[in-house]
Amino acid sequence: GFSVSIYDVTSRSISLRWPKFSGASSYRVTATAVSAAGHSLLLHFSDVTLKATLTSLIPNTIYALQAEAIGKNGIILAETQIMQSTAPDIPVIDQAYSKLSNSITVEWRAVPGATGYLLTAQDGDSFIETLVKNSPGTVTGLKPATLYRITLRSINSGGKSQPSPFRKAKTVLAAPIVSVSSPSCDSIAVSWKAVQLAAGFSVSLMRSDGLGRMLKENTTNTSLIFTNLDPGTLYTIKAYAWNANGMPGDDFTYNQRTSPDTPVDVKVAFNSGALRAVVSWMPTEGALTYSVTASSGLWKLKCNTSSASCVVPTLQCSSEYSISVTAYNDAGASKPTDAVSLATIPCAPVNISIEEDEPGHLLVSWSSVSFGHYYVVFVKSDDGLEVHCNTSYTQCHFQSDCGFTYFISVFAYNKAGQSPLGDVFNYTTAPCCPSDFRAVFVSSDTVRVTWAPVRGADLYETRAAAWSTVVLCNDTATACTLSALQCNTPYNITVYSFSEARGSNTSCAPKYVATAPCSPEIKNISKEGLSVISVQWQSNNKEATYVVTARGEAGFWHCTSTGSSCTLTDLPCGSAFSVSAIATSPAGQSLPSYSVPLETAPCCPNDLILTQVTQSITNISWSVGMGAQTYVTALESPKGQAKCHTLQNYCLLGCITCGTNYTVSLKAISETGLTSRCTYQGYSSSACCPSGVKLYRLSRNGIRVSWRASGDRINYNTDLRGSKGNFTCTPSTGLSHCDITQIPCGDVYTVVVAPVTDKGPKPTFCPKKIYS
C-alpha cells in the first residue's frame, strides 16, 4: 500500500510525493541515473515530510526513483520504485520577429532529447502559448503593433524545461480593412478604415490575368479610385499600411471585377402561342448574369439568366412592352440597353354572342379587342366540317343546318400573331323535322306513326289534332302509336322533334290523315232461301266498301257491298256462323262490327235404308244429318201412314201393310228448331206371306207343301232346312203347292213358304213349319 507519484519535472529537478505510512519514523528517497553510471542522489526526510524535490539532476536523463519507509529501529517497513525522465535542457532563442500583424516567428537551436517546444508570447498579464515541433516556430493570435515578451521551453516525455531567457518582439501593423467596388464599367473604387499607428498606405491594382501594367498609389488618405480600366475584367488589388519607420504591415489582397459594359445587339422574338418573348443579345465581357426587364405601364416582368438569351414568360395580351437588358457581375450592373418596343398579340375576344336570327342562319358577334387588327371566326360542326369568316368588323354570318352542334371560337389578329384561344362556345340548332313519316292504321281508332331518325333529336312528340281534340304521344323511339282516335275523322298529324339543348322544332309540317271508318252495326239478318242469307247494316261512310263475313267451323263466306246490305249465298246446311261486317276505305279498315250468330237448317241425311223386320214392322235407318238434333220419319200410303220422332238415326215403324207402296219423308230438326224437309225414293213393303200352309207326305222321302196365296200375281218359294241338307222348291206360276222329293229320311226340317220378290232378298219373317 506504499506508492510514489510525480507531480512536477524540469530539466534538472523531479518533484514527487508519497502517502503517510503507518509506523514509519522517517523516509528515504534515492535517485539513480540509468544511463549515467555513478550519478545518484540520496535524501532523508522526517516522518512529517511527505514530498520532496530532487535537484541538480542531469537534463534529458532517466532516473530510477526509490522511496523507503523506515521504522524507529531503522528497519525498512516498505519501499517502492518508479522510473522518471528529466525534461530536456533549456533552449536559447536566436531571434524573434513579426511578418504578420497577428504572429511572431521565433528561431532557436535544437535541444537534445526535445520532442517539442512551447512558445509563449506575453503582453502584460495576458499570454498566448503555442506548441511547435521544431525551429522556427510561430505563435499566432496576437494583437497587431504590440510589443511581446517571447520565451521558449523544450518538451519531452518527462516534462517541460524551465523558460528560456526572454526576447522582445513587436507585431507589425494590421492590414487595412478595404472596401472595393466598381462604380462604372471602367473604374474601381478602393476605400479603407484608418489603421492605428499607420503613417501611410500603399495600394496597387493589376489585371488578374497578368495582362497590362500594374497601377500603384501611395497615400495618406483612406480612399482611391482607379479609372480607365477594362469593363468586366477581374483585377487584383493589394493594400498595406506602413509605420513611422517605413516598415510595411500586413497586406490586404482582393479580387474585384469591373462592372460589365452595356449589352449590344438586342433582339426580341415573340412567341405568340405561348405569350412569351425570347430576348437575345451579344455576350458582354465579364458579365455573369443578365436581367431582362419588360415594362408595360405598372406591370414589370423580369427574366434572369447567365446565357445570352432569356425567355420573358406570361406576357399580357393586347399590351405594348418596353424591353431592356442589363448585365451583372459581382461588381454590379451595367447601364440598361435602349428599350426595344414589343406589341403582343391581342387578347381573345369576349362578350361573344350567338343567335339564330332566322332558321339556317347564325349571327356571331363579339366586342372589339385592343391591338386587334382583324378577326377570324371558326365554326366547326359536330360532323367535323369547319368553315371560317375573316373580317375587320365584330360580327359574322354563317349558314347552319338543323340538328347540328356548332363549336364557335373567335380569334383576334395583329402583326404579332393570333390571340389566345378564348372560350369555345357551342350552339345547337333545333333538331330536324321528320320529313317523311308514315301513318299505318292498327285499327280504326289507333294509328302507328313511324319515321326515320333525324339529327339532333333526343325526343319526339307526335300530335294528332281534329277540331278541339288533341292526342299526344312522346317517345325517344322513331315510332309512336296514337290510340283513342275518333274513327272516320280527319286528323292533322305532326311529328315534332325535341333536343335538350335547343328544345322543340316548331316548324315541322303536319300531314293530313283520315282515320278508318267506324265499325258497322248489323241491323238485320234474314233468310232469302235455303242457303241464301241477306245481311243489312247501318252505313256511316259513303266512301267505304263493306265486307260481310260469315265465320264458322265450315269455313268463311263473304259478300261485299258499297251500300248497306249484301247477300251470303251457298252457305252449307247444318252449320253455325258468326256474321260480322268490316268497312274499308282509302283511310283504312274499321274494326269489325259486333258479331251476330247465324244458323243454317240442318242437312238431310245422305243415306236412308228401310229394312222390313216383320210383315207389319219396318226398320228405317239413316246417316247423321249435319246440324240435326232430332228426326221425324214418315211412311205414307192410301192405306195409312206410319210416323216416328226420335233422337237416334234409326226408327221402327209399325202398322205397315204388306205389298203396299209408301212415300218416304224425313224432317231434320236442329237444336233451335230449324227444320229441313227431306224427301226420298218411295218404298214398297214386301208381299204378304201365304196363309194355310200345310204339309203332306208323298212317300218315305217326299213331301208336298201347299198354301193359300195372298194375291194373284205372287210367286212363292219353299225352303226346307235340316241337318242333312237344305232343299228349295219353286212352283210354276199360278200353282199354290210345291213337291219336294228325295229328301233324306230320319231328319227334322224347317219349312218356310215366302213370296219371291224381284228386289232384294226374300222375306225371312214368314211363319215356319216343322216336318219330321
Side-chain angles (χ1 to χ4, degrees), residues 196-328:
Q196 187 178 5
L197 302 178
F201 303 92
S202 178
V203 182
S204 62
L205 179 144
M206 185 176 181
R207 283 181 61 127
S208 297
D209 57 9
L211 300 177
R213 62 188 183 87
M214 178 190 292
L215 302 177
K216 187 173 183 179
E217 295 286 343
N218 293 326
T219 180
T220 57
N221 296 328
T222 57
S223 64
L224 278 174
I225 294 179
F226 295 93
T227 58
N228 296 321
L229 304 181
D230 297 327
T233 302
L234 185 64
Y235 286 89
T236 299
I237 298 99
K238 182 179 289 188
Y240 61 89
W242 67 81
N243 57 17
N245 298 326
M247 180 177 290
D250 287 348
D251 59 25
F252 176 88
T253 302
Y254 189 85
N255 289 329
Q256 175 66 45
R257 190 181 299 273
T258 51
S259 57
D261 203 356
T262 303
V264 295
D265 196 17
V266 177
K267 295 179 181 178
V268 179
F270 180 63
N271 186 328
S272 60
L275 266 176
R276 61 186 184 184
V278 179
V279 185
S280 60
W281 54 89
M282 290 295 292
T284 301
E285 179 69 32
L288 301 180
T289 60
Y290 300 89
S291 178
V292 179
T293 303
S295 302
S296 176
L298 298 177
W299 291 90
K300 279 192 176 183
L301 298 174
K302 285 187 176 292
C303 168
N304 298 320
T305 181
S306 59
S307 62
S309 66
C310 197
V311 177
V312 181
T314 62
L315 298 177
Q316 299 294 318
C317 56
S318 290
S319 301
E320 187 170 7
Y321 287 88
S322 294
I323 297 176
S324 61
V325 183
T326 303
Y328 291 86

Side-chain angles (χ1 to χ4, degrees), residues 202 220 388 404 522 748:
S202 178
T220 57
H388 69 277
F404 277 88
I522 297 176
V748 177

Side-chain angles (χ1 to χ4, degrees), residues 56-76:
S56 301
L57 303 180
I58 303 171
N60 193 33
T61 302
I62 297 174
Y63 284 88
L65 303 176
Q66 181 172 324
E68 297 169 325
I70 302 173
K72 292 180 180 181
N73 52 6
I75 299 174
I76 298 174

Side-chain angles (χ1 to χ4, degrees), residues 361-389:
H361 293 276
L362 292 180
L363 174 63
V364 183
S365 58
W366 58 91
S367 299
S368 61
V369 180
S370 300
F371 294 94
H373 297 164
Y374 65 96
Y375 305 91
V376 177
V377 183
F378 293 92
V379 177
K380 185 175 184 178
S381 60
D382 51 11
D383 62 352
L385 183 64
E386 184 177 70
V387 295
H388 69 277
C389 163

Side-chain angles (χ1 to χ4, degrees), residues 720-727 744 747 749:
L720 274 77
R721 296 184 179 273
S723 61
K724 296 182 179 181
N726 296 327
F727 302 91
D747 196 2
Y749 292 93

